[in-house]
Amino acid sequence: MNYEAVIGIEIHCELKTETKMFSGAPLGYGQRPNTAINEIDISMPGTLPQVNKQAVAHGVKLAQALNCDIDTLVRFDRKNYFYSDLPKGYQITQQFYPLGRDGLFNILVNDDIKTVRINRLHMEEDTAKQFHEGENTLIDFNRAGTPLLEIVTEADFRTGEEAAAYVDALRLLVVYLGISDGRMDEGSLRCDVNISIRPVGQEAFGTKVEIKNLNSISNVQKSIEYEIKRQTEVVESGEAVITETRRFDEKHQSTVSMRVKESVVDYRYFVEPNIAPIRLGAGIMDQQEIELPVARIMRYNESLGLSMYDASVLVKNKELTDYFELLIQDTSEYKLVVNWLTQDILSVLDKKEGRPFEVWIQPKYFIELIDAIKTDTISSKQAKEVFAKMVEGESPKAVIEKSGMVQINDEPTILAWIEEALEANPQVIDDYRNGSNKSLKFVVGQVMKLSKGQVNPRIANELVVRTLDKKI
């Protein structure tokens, strides 16, 4: 029997705000444990939460980008459970009235558009972080109260590849919107996957298994592919898949059981009594629209003639694609610019040292390099030398002039070198007559040597062929 997977995804996205969701404490990633906290974060008696306006604005921005129906009356609820990383004994969230519902998000899977349905998007606060050392558990409250958005999809995915493409697209979206850094390796974006299998053609879902805390795009795909295989083997052996929570073991590239879900946890949700409903005004609802990543990829493909692959590689780095937007104001050599950006620039990003691209390499300098290549002023080999100077802050035009690095395109001069090479190596003509391609490359090499590497290799090759053809 053939089976298909039914997959839904929940993503927790930490927001890039100055302070926490319900307190004035600063966000504390990377700081010394328990230093980025205040009385509200550790639930001291008598403290009251105050909603972070910037976090709400970020939530609205993402809800709009995901085409959600937005609830303009913001309300919060309590999710009650007792765990050592939750100082209040409850989490403030949005169970009954999420900020956004019924959204649609277009993603690219192998250059094809797939529309993902968004079930809900809600705001909440993060918990503290635990560190287990032997029999002891240490708690860092710096993360407690960090603003989170939880984005829940419908069960619209059938493969690990589709799921990974969605997570990557959402990660890129929050970066483009400027609401999160999207760093999965630092926990800014955390992913849970719900997966079941069913016979192809069956409408009813199978038994759902949850894979928790996936921290990379590749692990999303690998864990799903493993779990599909595991569940299929369980079913085909005549056993039943059990409802459980699993994690992905990177070392063994497999999912491992964490706990069995024998019953549904009763979180005893009720309305948060310390936060009054908040009506969203025009200042938050009427935010400036930006061009979304998929829309930018399609524009590059349709208007600039870039391949979907080139456009996707470029758009994956927001800083790089914004720099590309500056460059194409002064050149139409789009493909040439993309090649240098996605191959050469990305290989030396360590030299950027945190500076904006336009400060690191002035756009006019990059255009000077592109123009020199396009007009055959310099060879591809010389371009690499000029590029190395350019990333250190020098003008390509100045480097070319100072180094005398001008490519020779003059045919009479090149023909004279060809004749000189043939006079010194007359056997080459016989070799060429006998079909040896090595003789052609040899002569071109001699011409390059005589010109000290400054001759245009394309023109040299054409003239060597023409000269040898005449001599046989």
Side-chain angles (χ1 to χ4, degrees), residues 41 56 61 75 78 86 92 95 101 144 168 190 206 226 230 266 290 299 316 339 401 414:
D41 303 323
V56 175
K61 185 177 288 189
R75 288 159 283 187
R78 284 190 185 183
L86 197 66
I92 302 177
Q95 173 66 13
R101 292 182 186 269
D168 195 29
R190 307 195 292 276
Y226 176 85
R230 186 192 72 83
D266 181 7
I290 71 160
R299 173 167 65 86
K316 278 183 182 296
N339 287 346
E401 291 175 357
I414 299 172

Side-chain angles (χ1 to χ4, degrees), residues 12 40 72 98 141 173 252 311 315 380 437:
H12 286 86
I40 294 174
T72 57
F141 287 98
L173 176 62
H252 297 98
V315 170
S380 56
N437 286 329

Side-chain angles (χ1 to χ4, degrees), residues 178-201:
I179 66 174
S180 174
D181 61 20
R183 294 290 300 271
M184 295 189 75
D185 58 324
E186 295 180 357
S188 299
L189 201 77
R190 307 195 292 276
C191 178
D192 300 335
V193 170
N194 295 299
I195 176 172
S196 63
I197 63 168
R198 65 185 178 188
V200 173

